[in-house]
Amino acid sequence: MSEKTIYVYVLETQFREQLGLSANAGLGALGVADGLDGRQWAEHEFGGAPLGDKRLSKRLVR
């Protein structure tokens, strides 16, 4: 696994407040265990794949 750096340009300066987050939320890097687990990631990435049959989408996620 390689490490990637992601830079984000803030469009709305009060976005944390609008989302109900603390003022310091998101200022540090996420740890490896802070992300989605394998099943959640697969569902997020492939769950809505337009394969013509929901069973095929479920199989892709599995």
Side-chain angles (χ1 to χ4, degrees), residues 11-28:
L11 298 176
E12 174 59 52
T13 58
Q14 301 298 321
F15 74 95
R16 287 183 182 88
E17 200 173 280
Q18 292 174 353
L19 293 173
L21 302 172
S22 70
N24 296 327
L27 295 179

Side-chain angles (χ1 to χ4, degrees), residues 2-62:
S2 63
E3 186 175 310
K4 295 179 175 51
T5 303
I6 299 173
Y7 298 96
V8 179
Y9 179 75
V10 178
L11 298 176
E12 174 59 52
T13 58
Q14 301 298 321
F15 74 95
R16 287 183 182 88
E17 200 173 280
Q18 292 174 353
L19 293 173
L21 302 172
S22 70
N24 296 327
L27 295 179
L30 293 176
V32 174
D34 292 335
L36 300 172
D37 68 22
R39 175 72 182 180
Q40 290 172 323
W41 176 84
E43 179 66 37
H44 179 73
E45 289 292 319
F46 305 119
L51 301 177
D53 187 336
K54 288 186 177 189
R55 294 173 296 177
L56 292 175
S57 294
K58 286 182 181 181
R59 187 182 304 162
L60 176 63
V61 169
R62 190 176 62 242

